[in-house]
Amino acid sequence: MNTPPGPPPMTELSGGEALWLLEGSTLGQLAYVQREQAVVRPARHVWEYGRLIVRAPVPATAIPPTATYAANEIDPRTGTGWTVTLTGPVDVLRDPHEAAHYRRTLAGWTHGPHDTLLRFRPQTITGFRLAGAEA
């Protein structure tokens, strides 16, 4: 009698490997609390100069001083892949030259008041690799 395979095992990543995976990806989710409710929005990102720059379809006025960002790549057929989450202080990019650069670099879903560029200064970075059941 064969038993179906269990969920893939998770292995914790080192901080360096988590950053390497994050740097090689471009899509993720911005998460923050607004009026005691969790808000999660799709976002695009780039890692530069030890900071994570995120472009998300949210109003700048909604962003609290600290937020969370998550990125992952998981194969839906095998359940293998990775996930990385970071949390830390976040600032809205207000410099027009810097904002113009990142608007060219990162495609957005909206334009106008719900198109916000953020700079994360990560304080915690965690990540996990999801290995196949045969591993």
Side-chain angles (χ1 to χ4, degrees):
M1 195 181 331
N2 287 343
T3 58
M10 287 177 44
T11 306
E12 191 165 359
L13 299 172
S14 69
E17 187 176 7
L19 286 176
W20 181 77
L21 290 167
L22 184 69
E23 188 175 6
S25 68
T26 59
L27 294 173
Q29 302 85 36
L30 173 68
Y32 58 95
V33 176
Q34 183 181 35
R35 292 190 290 270
E36 299 180 28
Q37 295 272 332
V39 177
V40 179
R41 295 291 180 259
R44 296 192 187 274
H45 68 269
V46 64
W47 181 266
E48 286 187 344
Y49 309 113
R51 302 285 190 264
L52 183 72
I53 306 299
V54 173
R55 185 175 184 182
V58 298
T61 57
I63 303 299
T66 299
T68 297
Y69 190 76
N72 58 65
E73 288 185 14
I74 301 171
D75 183 321
R77 294 173 293 116
T78 63
T80 60
W82 57 268
T83 182
V84 171
T85 304
L86 63 83
T87 301
V90 62
D91 299 309
V92 175
L93 290 181
R94 303 215 185 267
D95 178 86
H97 299 293
E98 189 176 22
H101 165 72
Y102 287 114
R103 280 194 169 62
R104 285 189 304 273
T105 304
L106 298 168
W109 285 277
T110 63
H111 298 285
H114 286 38
D115 181 22
T116 301
L117 289 159
L118 306 167
R119 180 185 298 111
F120 270 86
R121 289 170 283 140
Q123 289 182 331
T124 61
I125 300 171
T126 58
F128 294 91
R129 185 169 299 283
L130 307 171
E134 66 280 352

